[in-house]
Amino acid sequence: MSGAVRKKVQRKFKMRGYSLKVDALDEVLSFVSRFEGAEDEAIDLLLDQLLHESLKSSIIDKEAMHRVISLLLEAEGAVEESESMVSSSSAIRVTDAFLVPKFRYDPIKKQYYEHTGSLPIHGAASAKAALYRDRFLLLFQRVSRDPHFAKPAFDTEMSHYGSCEIASIQSLIGQTGRRWVMGVISQLEDGHFYLEDLTAAMEINLSKAKITTGFFSENTIVVAEGEMLLEGIFQVTTCGFPPLEEREKSMKLLQGHDLFGSGILTKEDTLRLAELEKRAVNDMFVILSDIWLDNDEVMAKLETILDGFENVEVTPSLFVFMGNFCSHPCNLSFHDFSSLRLQFGKLGKVIGAHPRLKEHSRFLFIPGPDDAGPSTVLPRCALPKYLTEELQKHIPNAIFSKSNSTPKKSYFSAKICCIGCVDHA
């Protein structure tokens, strides 16, 4: 166990008012080593469990710590025993894109709030501007927490690696000297690039800019260092992406919000997820696209693929079938939906003829750009129920974007086996 983890354990226990004897510290380090990559959650879980113990002193010895760790390991063993009785396919959670919660950041209150009510498939004219504004605010609040870009508490001369406070573009008028700005790269005039934020836009000169690692294009939000020239052009000397932030730090600021619609993870869930991910070394997800159900050659190759996976030792936990599911676009000129419905039923029979796959695997169907649906915008709505009813008679647990049969707080990690287009397999 590294010295950094040892210091972290001592610091966290001290913050809660505890002191650890040497042998108790060794017990904690042994427990934490079981959860590589989730050390913080393991330590916090120990500290939370200590609150339920009747301790005679704030100085914790080996016996008290061993008792707490034993209780946690017994609980974990019970969970693992129950999980072993559940197939890996049931541990998969699929969240429909239309059910993912929508959050916005309030720069005044400095907090997130969830958008309530339904949103139209076709956005209004103001939706595009709102998208860039929300994206900018989300990144700006993260950058403002970075110690290099945070406003210094005292008006002192900072070193080259010290604070680089972000200035608004509007405030650069009449200013000289080096400044840091954050904005969206845009081309408001042909051949002339601009940097925009929520206050103003200014032309930039990138000819002498030192570009950091990354791929930059129009509509990209960047952090730029430079100086305003007399002709009103910002001469960029350094340009890069906003800095990253550790997941733990971001989660503390989300105030328990569920960003993906898959449930809030408790500390116990996080530890179980880390352990589950370690054990999923031999599992895989199989992704197939362009499954033309009306093409006999495609169906024959698909059956060959399923035959191969039916006979392997470890069956894939998930098959992702992506459209288009017909060789002809399902637009207004398409008049053969009844035939397509029967072809989905035929696909269900093909899958049902592979009992191991049917029992241990899940099947997710994602429509393609030319499949039937109310709109061609992304993300696509689920395939119409009329088309999939025949298939579901054979594969009841098939997932068509929306699914209420998966556990609320079960997750699974696995390798992805991307085979590609079935018609080229």
Side-chain angles (χ1 to χ4, degrees):
M1 182 64 65
S2 67
V5 176
R6 180 183 293 268
K7 291 180 180 179
K8 183 182 294 185
V9 170
Q10 293 173 323
R11 184 177 69 253
K12 281 181 172 286
F13 272 78
K14 187 176 181 180
M15 290 174 63
R16 297 279 190 103
Y18 299 118
S19 296
L20 288 170
K21 291 186 176 182
V22 176
D23 49 2
L25 177 59
D26 292 337
E27 286 280 328
V28 175
L29 293 176
S30 177
F31 174 78
V32 172
S33 64
R34 296 168 54 91
F35 306 100
E36 184 179 354
E39 291 87 356
D40 285 330
E41 291 81 359
I43 299 170
D44 291 338
L45 187 60
L46 274 177
L47 289 168
D48 292 343
Q49 187 63 32
L50 276 174
L51 295 175
H52 304 290
E53 294 293 314
S54 299
L55 301 175
K56 298 178 181 179
S57 171
S58 60
I59 302 175
I60 303 174
D61 56 17
K62 179 179 180 180
E63 182 181 352
M65 186 53 64
H66 181 74
R67 183 169 62 252
V68 172
I69 292 176
S70 297
L71 289 173
L72 291 175
L73 292 179
E74 288 176 8
E76 182 191 14
V79 171
E80 288 181 352
E81 184 178 352
S82 63
E83 285 181 348
S84 64
M85 301 175 63
V86 182
S87 66
S88 59
S89 61
S90 66
I92 298 170
R93 174 65 190 261
V94 177
T95 302
D96 190 282
F98 290 91
L99 301 180
V100 174
K102 307 296 187 297
F103 288 91
R104 288 180 176 173
Y105 181 76
D106 187 337
I108 306 300
K109 297 181 179 180
K110 297 186 182 302
Q111 65 182 20
Y112 291 90
Y113 65 93
E114 185 175 357
H115 181 276
T116 57
S118 59
L119 294 172
I121 295 179
H122 298 282
S126 59
K128 186 175 183 180
L131 181 149
Y132 286 107
R133 182 178 64 252
D134 292 340
R135 183 185 297 173
F136 182 87
L137 288 173
L138 286 173
L139 285 174
F140 186 79
Q141 57 89 25
R142 192 181 75 190
V143 172
S144 63
R145 294 194 298 270
D146 189 279
H148 291 95
F149 295 98
K151 183 177 181 179
F154 302 98
D155 189 13
T156 57
E157 187 69 24
M158 303 300 293
S159 67
H160 177 68
Y161 298 99
S163 176
C164 307
E165 183 185 355
I166 300 293
S168 65
I169 292 177
Q170 190 177 50
S171 68
L172 297 182
I173 300 175
Q175 297 290 327
T176 58
R178 188 187 68 168
R179 294 289 187 273
W180 287 85
V181 293
M182 176 175 164
V184 181
I185 298 177
S186 57
Q187 193 173 179
L188 302 183
E189 302 175 18
D190 290 341
H192 296 267
F193 288 96
Y194 287 76
L195 202 63
E196 296 182 83
D197 66 4
L198 300 182
T199 64
M202 65 179 178
E203 187 175 350
I204 57 176
N205 186 339
L206 297 168
S207 60
K208 299 179 181 179
K210 178 183 177 181
I211 306 297
T212 58
T213 303
F215 183 78
F216 299 85
S217 64
E218 290 185 50
N219 301 324
T220 298
I221 297 178
V222 297
V223 176
E225 176 193 13
E227 184 177 0
M228 183 67 78
L229 304 178
L230 294 177
E231 54 268 30
I233 298 176
F234 189 75
Q235 179 69 59
V236 178
T237 56
T238 307
C239 182
F241 288 125
L244 301 176
E245 184 176 73
E246 292 183 355
R247 180 181 183 274
E248 291 75 14
K249 187 175 182 180
S250 297
M251 295 303 293
K252 290 179 181 178
L253 296 162
L254 291 175
Q255 303 163 348
H257 289 308
D258 179 16
L259 294 183
F260 298 102
S262 55
I264 301 295
L265 284 176
T266 63
K267 293 173 184 176
E268 292 86 350
D269 291 331
T270 304
L271 293 176
R272 287 199 296 270
L273 178 60
E275 188 66 25
L276 185 61
E277 188 172 13
K278 289 181 182 178
R279 299 201 301 263
V281 292
N282 294 321
D283 218 318
M284 68 184 78
F285 295 167
V286 179
I287 302 177
L288 306 167
S289 69
D290 293 296
I291 302 178
W292 294 347
L293 303 180
D294 59 341
N295 187 298
D296 293 337
E297 184 180 1
V298 170
M299 293 299 292
K301 291 182 178 180
L302 175 60
E303 191 166 2
T304 300
I305 292 174
L306 295 177
D307 290 340
F309 283 112
E310 173 75 10
N311 298 318
V312 297
E313 182 179 354
V314 180
T315 58
S317 292
L318 179 68
F319 283 87
V320 181
F321 289 169
M322 301 193 302
N324 299 318
F325 291 102
C326 185
S327 58
H328 305 288
C330 296
N331 49 31
L332 294 177
S333 63
F334 187 81
H335 300 291
D336 203 13
F337 289 104
S338 58
S339 176
L340 186 58
R341 171 187 168 95
L342 295 177
Q343 288 159 0
F344 269 104
K346 181 181 177 181
L347 175 60
K349 292 180 181 178
V350 171
I351 298 174
H354 300 80
R356 291 185 67 233
L357 296 182
K358 181 179 178 180
E359 180 180 358
H360 300 291
S361 302
R362 300 297 298 275
F363 295 87
L364 171 63
F365 292 83
I366 301 176
D370 292 329
D371 281 322
S375 173
T376 58
V377 300
L378 297 176
R380 297 297 311 277
C381 296
L383 290 165
K385 188 176 180 180
Y386 169 78
L387 296 178
T388 61
E389 279 180 331
E390 292 295 322
L391 185 147
Q392 288 183 303
K393 291 179 181 178
H394 302 281
I395 313 296
N397 62 349
I399 308 169
F400 295 92
S401 294
K402 296 181 180 180
S403 176
N404 298 322
S405 60
T406 49
K408 185 176 182 181
K409 289 189 178 180
S410 295
Y411 303 83
F412 198 77
S413 176
K415 295 182 293 185
I416 294 179
C417 179
C418 185
I419 295 180
C421 300
V422 176
D423 58 326
H424 296 146

